[in-house]
Amino acid sequence: MKKRLTNNLSLKILAFLIAGFMWFMVVNIDDPVSDKTYVGIAVKVLNEEVVQDSNRTYQIVDGTGEVNVTVTAKRSLLNKIKAEDIQATADMKELLLGTQIPIQVTVKGYEGRYESAVSSPGNLQVKIDDETKNNFPITPTVTGTVRDGYTIGSLKADPEKVTIRGPKTVIDSINRVAAEIDVSGLSESTDLEARLVLYDSNDNVIDQTILANNLGKDGVSVKVKLNKVKRVPIALDTSGIQAKEGYNIAKVTPEPKEILVSGTEKNLESLDEIMVPAEELSFTDLTERTEKQVDISAYLPEGISLLDENAKNIVVSILVEQPGVKIYEVSTSSLTVNNLADGLEVSYGHVVDLELQIQGPEEVLQSLKLAKKASIDLKGYTEPGSYVVPVFVELPAGCALVNEVKADITLEKK
């Protein structure tokens, strides 16, 4: 029996070794060691007080606050590891050269079961800076548009100032502090929660992750006061306008004839017109058309303001008729267009009404109708562009056009 056991012993040992090797190969082929990279792992800074205790602070630079971590382990283990299991830390006690902190990586819950876990980059890049603080006024800003018929009357941030603390270089770069709110569809006065946004001198948004402020959990809000909008006609006191003897004041008109104003509902309720007083329109011995620019904002009632502050100037036009001459106005939209080139369409400039001064017998002028009597001839105008063209008027016998009338037109391809 003993002889049988010891017979070919070397071969039996070799067979055992081969079997063990084959088992090892099968196990590793079935569950090999592999690598897996996890992207965007946030780096947690430890022992910040090492810097903060000396009235300094730090900034993470070069985008090293997030790293990619490569874990080496068996495939079966890698299939279980999730990104949230990976912890990347940088200990301020290990600060090197004043700018670098080595990043340590662990895989929570899998300690000792993986071969390695390495971050890329391997160091957290920081900039050490003196810590400081400053007070800044908060400016409310809005996005979106309130409901039709309303406008923003006033905005007030609450609180109106904020104290911000952080690295001196960052604090010094703050140019303005905004409380941003969205007023889309708003139709009543209210308080809105705002988002605090910091801007530098180039209007770039400043990252606040390394900054602190004194707003607390309440944050910042904006008190929004809404006003109503109303379209109000402009009235003119023309008692101070006089023509020279033998001449007549044909017409006095403002342009625009109406303006948009805003105010409380109570203030707007009693506002029916805005009157330009006689002392603003004081003219004597007029013999020709005269225009006067008027700042209409000077005549707004208390509590009423222009919807557009840039639209405060109106133009008052005074049309003067000469003896034996009558003034007519013809809308550009009523002009007959002759010989318009194929493929083109015509539009007119900002002048809506053309002034025609016609001389003739009084009885003829009183009954004269110019509907479809004025025209422009576009023969020869074959290219797109802007042009000034003469206006032709068909008049009865004994009547003549005193002034030369031209129209500003624009030709465009259809």
Side-chain angles (χ1 to χ4, degrees):
M1 183 70 177
K2 181 179 180 181
K3 186 176 181 181
R4 287 183 181 179
L5 291 174
T6 57
N7 190 27
N8 298 323
L9 180 61
S10 59
L11 291 175
K12 292 177 179 179
I13 293 173
L14 179 62
F16 176 78
L17 292 175
I18 291 173
F21 177 75
M22 292 297 293
W23 175 84
F24 178 80
M25 288 294 293
V26 168
V27 169
N28 280 274
I29 290 173
D30 186 51
D31 191 11
V33 173
S34 184
D35 295 335
K36 184 176 180 180
T37 299
Y38 300 82
V39 178
I41 305 299
V43 179
K44 182 179 180 181
V45 180
L46 306 177
N47 297 310
E48 294 174 309
E49 64 274 7
V50 172
V51 172
Q52 295 171 346
D53 287 349
S54 57
N55 290 325
R56 295 185 300 166
T57 187
Y58 68 92
Q59 302 175 54
I60 298 174
V61 298
D62 297 335
T64 55
E66 288 189 351
V67 295
N68 298 335
V69 174
T70 299
V71 180
T72 301
K74 289 186 177 181
R75 181 181 295 169
S76 60
L77 189 63
L78 290 177
N79 291 335
K80 298 178 181 178
I81 296 174
K82 299 180 178 60
E84 52 264 32
D85 299 325
I86 300 173
Q87 295 181 337
T89 59
D91 194 333
M92 274 291 183
K93 291 182 178 179
E94 299 182 21
L95 183 64
L96 303 174
L97 303 175
T99 60
Q100 300 180 31
I101 309 173
I103 297 173
Q104 304 296 328
V105 179
T106 57
V107 184
K108 187 178 179 181
Y110 298 93
E111 294 85 350
R113 297 169 61 186
Y114 57 91
E115 294 193 9
S116 65
V118 181
S119 71
S120 176
N123 293 313
L124 183 71
Q125 302 290 331
V126 297
K127 178 182 178 182
I128 306 300
D129 197 357
D130 292 334
E131 186 177 66
T132 188
K133 63 180 180 180
N134 203 350
N135 296 321
F136 298 90
I138 301 176
T139 303
T141 60
V142 302
T143 59
T145 306
V146 298
R147 185 175 293 181
D148 288 346
Y150 294 87
T151 187
I152 294 175
S154 65
L155 299 169
K156 184 179 180 181
D158 182 23
E160 297 183 75
K161 292 183 179 180
V162 61
T163 301
I164 301 177
R165 176 170 52 84
K168 186 176 186 304
T169 54
V170 179
I171 298 298
D172 290 345
S173 71
I174 299 174
N175 182 57
R176 62 185 178 94
V177 177
E180 296 189 349
I181 55 173
D182 185 357
V183 298
S184 298
L186 199 64
S187 60
E188 61 181 358
S189 299
T190 187
D191 291 356
L192 294 178
E193 184 178 343
R195 183 171 69 98
L196 195 73
V197 184
L198 313 182
Y199 293 93
D200 63 18
S201 58
N202 295 319
D203 258 2
N204 297 315
V205 176
I206 297 173
D207 184 6
Q208 299 183 58
T209 54
I210 56 173
L211 302 175
N213 61 56
N214 65 337
L215 296 178
K217 64 179 182 179
D218 293 333
V220 60
S221 62
V222 174
K223 296 181 182 297
V224 185
K225 180 183 177 183
L226 288 190
N227 285 338
K228 293 209 69 173
V229 176
K230 186 175 183 179
R231 188 179 297 275
V232 182
I234 297 172
L236 306 174
D237 185 343
T238 61
S239 60
I241 302 175
Q242 297 179 4
K244 189 175 181 179
E245 187 175 354
Y247 291 77
N248 295 313
I249 302 299
K251 195 175 184 181
V252 183
T253 56
E255 184 60 43
K257 295 178 176 61
E258 297 177 322
I259 59 170
L260 288 172
V261 297
S262 67
T264 64
E265 189 168 0
K266 182 180 179 181
N267 288 340
L268 290 176
E269 188 175 356
S270 59
L271 182 63
D272 297 321
E273 64 181 17
I274 298 173
M275 175 65 71
V276 179
E279 56 265 27
E280 184 73 68
L281 303 173
S282 180
F283 298 95
T284 58
D285 295 332
L286 293 180
T287 60
E288 60 184 5
R289 179 189 178 108
T290 303
E291 291 184 345
K292 173 70 181 292
Q293 182 171 286
V294 177
D295 183 354
I296 198 67
S297 64
Y299 305 109
L300 297 179
E302 186 177 354
I304 301 296
S305 60
L306 292 171
L307 184 63
D308 181 2
E309 292 297 333
N310 295 320
K312 64 180 181 179
N313 293 321
I314 67 167
V315 176
V316 177
S317 298
I318 306 170
L319 300 183
V320 181
E321 291 181 342
Q322 301 177 30
V325 174
K326 188 171 178 60
I327 296 176
Y328 300 83
E329 288 186 343
V330 175
S331 171
T332 52
S333 62
S334 68
L335 293 176
T336 301
V337 180
N338 297 319
N339 299 312
L340 178 62
D342 292 339
L344 295 180
E345 58 185 5
V346 63
S347 61
Y348 299 92
H350 64 281
V351 177
V352 176
D353 295 322
L354 302 175
E355 179 186 316
L356 279 63
Q357 298 181 28
I358 301 175
Q359 187 176 41
E362 182 68 24
E363 62 276 11
V364 177
L365 295 180
Q366 291 300 329
S367 60
L368 180 61
K369 305 295 183 184
L370 294 179
K372 299 183 180 180
K373 300 293 184 180
S375 64
I376 56 175
D377 188 352
L378 299 184
K379 184 178 181 180
Y381 299 91
T382 59
E383 297 294 330
S386 297
Y387 305 95
V388 179
V389 298
V391 176
F392 303 96
V393 183
E394 182 182 343
L395 295 173
C399 293
L401 194 62
V402 175
N403 63 321
E404 184 181 17
V405 183
K406 294 185 177 181
D408 294 326
I409 68 166
T410 298
L411 294 179
E412 296 177 321
K413 290 183 179 180
K414 289 184 179 179

